[in-house]
Structures are given as C-alpha cells and as structure tokens.
C-alpha cells in the first residue's frame, strides 16, 4: 500500500512516480507536505532563486466561435450583436502598445470563426513580423489550428508549415481543458479531442516550434482525470515534445452554461504541486494569477511554481466569466521580491532579459 512517506522518498531520490502514486498524493497527502515536495524539486531545477515573468498581451482577434464550449462565457454566435472580428489595423495598434511598454510576447487567440481562411492568418502574421520583428508571435491554440486546417482542406502538418513561414513563432497550449475525452465530451463536445490536441503539438515539435501546455480543472473531472492529463503531458514530452512550461488553472463558472462551483485555493495548490512533482521533464511551472489573484500566486511560488506567466496587458476570456484580477509589472515584481525571490523578465523561450 502507498504512503506519503514512501512516495516522498522516491521523489527525493529523483525516481519518477506512477499514476497510482500520484493519485494517492492528490487524494491523501497533506497540503503542506505536498508543497514541500514540490518546492524541493523547484529548488533543484531552479537553484538561482529566480522567479520569471514575460511582458505580454493577449489579443483576442475574434469572439465568434462555432465550438460553443459549455464552460466558456467569452464566445458569441456570428449573428450576435456583440460578436466581433478585429481589423488588422486594430490588432497592430494593440501590438504597438505592447512594444511601447517593453513587451516581447503576443498571445493571439480567438474563437473558431466559421469563415476565416488560412490566407487571412498568413496575411496578418506576415504584417506582424514585418512591423514588429522583436515580438514573439505565440499564438493560436491546437483547436484553432485544426479549425484553420479544416477550412483550408489541409493537413495539420501543412497548415503549421504555412503559418510558421508566415510568422507564427510558437504555439500555446490553450484549449487543453482536461485531456480525457469523456470529460471533453461533456464540457466541449464540438472541440477537438485529446488526440487532436496532441497531434498539433507533435507536429509543432517536429517542426522545431516551442510550445506550452495548460490544464483547466475544477469543472466536472475526477481526480483520476487530473492525474491522467498531467501524465499525458509528460509522455508527450518524453516522445519529443517541446513544452517549455505547464500552466494549470481553475475553471471560472461565472456566466457559463456549465455553471457549478470554483475550485478552492487548497485544491489549486495541490494540483499545482502535483504538477511539479510529476512533470520532471517540463522545466517551468506557471502560477495562474489570472484565476487566483496576486496573493495566491505569491503562495504558489512555494508550491512548485517558478514563473508567473505574463503581465497580460489585456485579457478577455477569463474576465468574461467574471474573474478580473489585474496585475501590472510593478506589482508582479513586488510580489516576487516580497516572497524572497529575484524577479527577472524573460522572453517566451525563457531567455533572461532583465533582473529587477
């Protein structure tokens, strides 16, 4: 039978734990004990006492989406009066504001628009690369790329090749939710399944593109599903993945069809810590201040997180669910230093830019 102590010894000896041991920890381990295990791993992987962040902006180019996920409060139908598609000039204006603030990362995501062609994206991305060559275009979720491929009648491989040539630099891991299809069928039945998500990430990795991975938990999944999701990320990485970071975040029930309750802070910290313990091949774990707020993000730095993600000059999707935490660069630096760490601005690929 498992015990926290026996699993802890395995972790201390740098021996990977299995799914059953991970599930035992999630269900039975003391929160602070789990936190100490994760913090010890963080210190081994990042012994320089640094916590990083990137200055970025989320630009949602459209809120029109055919997927209509039950957990989402952001999407609109194409006939809705408040549905929109940004003009290229408006997108460029937003990127210029990012550059003016010393930003280096553009995270551009939207809905599965029924009529946007791959040529629309290629034209946009070429314009971004021409006008803002210093900005990393870290955009489009696997679901969006799959949708673009479907409209164009192209393979995933050929679609990514074309988008990369036009100026797409790296792919964020959005739309992962829980990478277990029985859960996905309940919360996002029209969106790609686990194999579709992983296929995009495999193709991107094969083309040398950097990626990230996320997990939205707290909707209707089980503890077993959470563990399965994290192990699937680990196994994708083992098979040649290019995940630079893993970002677990909590479902926000406000204004959604799915409804329900939000995960507690204790549940968030447990999953965060477990992520750090399992993912020995993913270098960075991001705290989700967007869903947890600044104080919980600060606590997260002692539960396995070594990165606070982006300053997010703009964020609309989570805000649509009624969760509107904001944090500017100065506050981010302050909470990092307040926790006893060095604050360092980084690029998307974790190159250090500036220490504060």
């Amino acid at each position: 039978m498992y015990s926290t102590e026996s699993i802890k010894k395995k972790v201390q000896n740098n021996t990977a734990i299995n799914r059953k041991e991970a599930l035992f920890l999630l269900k039975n381990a003391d929160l602070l004990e789990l936190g100490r295990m994760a913090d010890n791993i963080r210190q081994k992987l990042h012994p320089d006492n640094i916590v990083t962040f990137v200055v970025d902006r989320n630009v949602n180019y459209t809120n029109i989406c055919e997927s209509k996920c039950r957990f989402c409060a952001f999407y609109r139908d194409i006939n809705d009066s408040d549905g929109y598609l940004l003009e290229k000039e408006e997108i460029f204006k937003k990127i210029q504001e990012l550059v003016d603030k010393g930003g280096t990362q553009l995270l551009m995501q939207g809905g599965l628009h029924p009529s946007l062609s791959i040529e629309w994206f290629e034209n946009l991305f070429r314009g971004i690369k021409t006008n803002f060559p210093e900005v990393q275009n870290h955009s489009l979720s696997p679901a969006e790329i799959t949708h673009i491929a479907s409209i164009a009648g192209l393979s995933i491989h050929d679609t990514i090749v074309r988008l990369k040539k036009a100026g797409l630099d790296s792919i964020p891991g959005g739309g992962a939710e829980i990478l277990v299809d029985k859960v996905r069928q309940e919360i996002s039945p029209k969106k790609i399944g686990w194999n579709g998500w992983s296929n995009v990430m495999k193709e991107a990795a094969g083309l040398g593109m950097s990626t990230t991975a996320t997990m939205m938990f707290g909707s209707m999944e089980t503890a077993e599903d959470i563990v399965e999701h994290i192990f699937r990320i680990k196994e994708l990485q083992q098979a040649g993945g290019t995940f630079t970071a893993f970002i677990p975040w909590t479902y926000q029930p406000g204004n959604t069809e799915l409804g329900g309750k939000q995960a507690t802070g204790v549940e968030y910290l447990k999953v965060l810590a477990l992520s750090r313990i399992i993912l020995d091949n993913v270098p960075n774990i991001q705290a989700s201040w967007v869903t947890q707020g600044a104080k919980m993000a600060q606590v997260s730095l002692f539960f396995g997180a070594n990165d606070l993600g982006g300053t997010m000059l703009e964020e609309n999707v989570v805000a649509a669910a009624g969760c509107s935490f904001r944090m500017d660069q100065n506050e981010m630096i302050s909470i990092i230093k307040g926790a006893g760490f060095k604050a360092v601005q980084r690029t998307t690929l974790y190159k250090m830019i500036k220490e504060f």
Side-chain angles (χ1 to χ4, degrees):
M1 190 58 189
Y2 303 113
S3 70
T4 302
E5 193 60 33
S6 65
I7 300 171
K8 179 181 175 182
K9 287 179 181 177
K10 284 187 70 173
V11 173
Q12 288 173 338
N13 291 327
N14 298 320
T15 302
I17 66 172
N18 60 39
R19 281 168 167 80
K20 290 183 178 178
E21 290 167 325
L23 184 62
F24 177 88
L25 289 178
L26 186 57
K27 287 185 171 182
N28 301 290
D30 174 78
L31 172 65
L32 296 182
E33 188 65 35
L34 200 59
R36 280 190 288 269
M37 291 168 65
D39 191 51
N40 287 337
I41 295 170
R42 178 197 58 78
Q43 290 180 45
K44 288 178 184 177
L45 291 173
H46 305 280
D48 44 15
N49 204 42
I50 282 173
V51 170
T52 50
F53 66 91
V54 64
V55 178
D56 69 347
R57 182 168 195 161
N58 280 25
V59 175
N60 303 113
Y61 59 89
T62 185
N63 64 348
I64 296 168
C65 185
E66 291 186 327
S67 188
K68 301 179 181 178
C69 300
R70 296 178 63 211
F71 63 84
C72 180
F74 178 70
Y75 77 83
R76 295 294 183 269
D77 189 76
I78 195 165
N79 297 316
D80 288 344
S81 60
D82 53 350
Y84 70 82
L85 173 64
L86 296 180
E87 297 290 339
K88 185 164 68 171
E89 292 71 26
E90 179 67 18
I91 293 172
F92 285 0
K93 180 182 177 183
K94 289 174 179 287
I95 301 172
Q96 185 61 59
E97 290 173 357
L98 169 68
V99 170
D100 291 344
K101 289 182 177 292
T104 60
Q105 175 177 289
L106 169 68
L107 201 162
M108 194 158 55
Q109 294 180 309
L112 307 187
H113 195 289
S115 59
L116 287 185
S117 67
I118 189 169
E119 289 82 10
W120 187 89
F121 290 96
E122 287 175 313
N123 180 51
L124 176 62
F125 289 172
R126 280 193 291 266
I128 291 170
K129 190 58 67 177
T130 298
N131 290 282
F132 309 99
E134 70 274 40
V135 171
Q136 174 100 2
N137 189 350
H138 180 62
S139 299
L140 301 180
S141 66
E144 287 168 282
I145 288 174
T146 302
H147 185 66
I148 294 166
S150 176
I151 290 175
L154 294 170
S155 68
I156 297 298
H157 175 85
D158 290 347
T159 299
I160 299 175
V161 166
R162 284 181 57 170
L163 293 171
K164 183 174 187 268
K165 185 177 179 182
L168 180 63
D169 297 311
S170 52
I171 298 177
E177 284 82 71
I178 292 292
L179 293 174
V180 176
D181 282 342
K182 65 180 175 63
V183 179
R184 300 179 75 80
Q185 281 298 311
E186 290 293 327
I187 66 174
S188 54
K190 295 182 181 179
K191 192 181 281 187
I192 56 173
W194 137 246
N195 285 321
W197 190 94
S198 63
N199 186 42
V200 171
M201 292 315 200
K202 288 174 185 175
E203 291 287 355
L207 291 166
M209 297 179 76
S210 174
T211 58
T212 58
T214 66
M215 175 173 66
M216 182 196 79
F217 67 97
S219 62
M220 56 182 300
E221 79 289 333
T222 65
E224 286 83 358
D225 295 327
I226 289 173
V227 169
E228 184 63 25
H229 178 111
I230 302 171
F231 271 91
R232 284 182 166 178
I233 296 300
K234 178 176 182 175
E235 288 157 4
L236 280 173
Q237 190 81 324
Q238 287 171 335
T242 53
F243 299 126
T244 58
F246 182 66
I247 310 104
W249 59 284
T250 53
Y251 163 61
Q252 304 298 310
N255 304 321
T256 67
E257 176 192 337
L258 189 62
K261 296 180 180 179
Q262 186 175 340
T264 67
V266 169
E267 289 167 335
Y268 170 73
L269 292 173
K270 275 196 161 188
V271 170
L272 183 77
L274 187 67
S275 301
R276 179 68 287 170
I277 293 166
I278 295 171
L279 295 173
D280 52 11
N281 57 359
V282 176
N284 304 288
I285 302 290
Q286 283 186 25
S288 176
W289 65 262
V290 179
T291 60
Q292 301 302 311
K295 290 181 180 179
M296 186 63 82
Q298 190 176 47
V299 174
S300 299
L301 301 179
F302 300 95
F303 282 78
N306 66 288
D307 187 88
L308 287 186
T311 54
M312 289 194 190
L313 191 59
E314 176 181 358
E315 199 290 317
N316 301 302
V317 177
V318 175
C323 184
S324 55
F325 291 117
R326 305 304 307 148
M327 193 188 307
D328 63 21
Q329 183 172 317
N330 289 334
E331 185 179 3
M332 190 168 282
I333 293 166
S334 177
I335 70 166
I336 292 170
K337 287 186 171 183
F341 297 94
K342 301 172 190 173
V344 174
Q345 182 185 347
R346 61 165 174 86
T347 66
T348 306
L349 303 181
Y350 285 83
K351 178 183 176 182
M352 306 305 163
I353 296 175
K354 182 180 179 182
E355 182 178 330
F356 295 89

